[in-house]
Amino acid sequence: MTVPNSSLIAEVILYCQGFTTSTSLARKLVKLLDFAQKQLNNYPHYDFGLRIIKGILIQAGSLRQKIEGMNETVESDEACKLASEEIERYFALLERKHAAEKSRLIK
């Protein structure tokens, strides 16, 4: 039986969750769990394999989505406080900001 490539699996899960630095994050997580497995006692209820990796990464993706949702809510709340002539400029600024972030993420 072959040993699964935990780092590659973690990288793919992170990428699917929207993380742009998935390669380095996956390596760090796998190294941390490998280190924990080697340093901690070997109890049967300890699990440092793919099951825990997937659980951690799915939770990280959920937190990331919540944070992005909160940012959108804050932006729309700020628009309510602006004078009517400023709203159009505000949304134009937000659109440019998001376009810049997307181009940075694509690179």
Side-chain angles (χ1 to χ4, degrees):
M1 189 174 199
T2 61
V3 177
N5 186 343
S6 299
S7 184
L8 181 61
I9 293 169
E11 181 180 345
V12 170
I13 294 172
L14 280 167
Y15 184 74
C16 290
Q17 295 292 328
F19 289 90
T20 56
T21 57
S22 59
T23 305
S24 65
L25 290 172
R27 285 186 194 142
K28 290 176 184 177
L29 177 63
V30 171
K31 282 182 184 179
L32 173 69
L33 293 175
D34 285 342
F35 183 72
Q37 186 174 21
K38 291 174 185 171
Q39 296 296 317
L40 298 175
N41 292 325
N42 191 17
Y43 291 115
H45 61 276
Y46 284 177
D47 180 17
F48 298 106
L50 290 175
R51 186 177 301 135
I52 193 70
I53 290 173
K54 184 176 179 188
I56 290 169
L57 298 180
I58 297 299
Q59 286 295 319
S62 296
L63 288 172
R64 184 178 181 278
Q65 289 174 353
K66 285 180 185 177
I67 289 170
E68 285 180 354
M70 288 174 18
N71 287 340
E72 291 173 6
T73 302
V74 167
E75 291 169 359
S76 63
D77 287 348
E78 288 298 318
C80 295
K81 298 175 186 175
L82 296 173
S84 58
E85 63 271 3
E86 298 288 331
I87 291 175
E88 191 173 314
R89 274 195 283 182
Y90 176 73
F91 282 112
L93 287 171
L94 288 178
E95 192 172 307
R96 277 189 258 149
K97 174 189 162 212
H98 291 298
E101 286 177 2
K102 285 180 183 178
S103 67
R104 182 179 55 86
L105 295 176
I106 292 172
K107 293 179 183 179

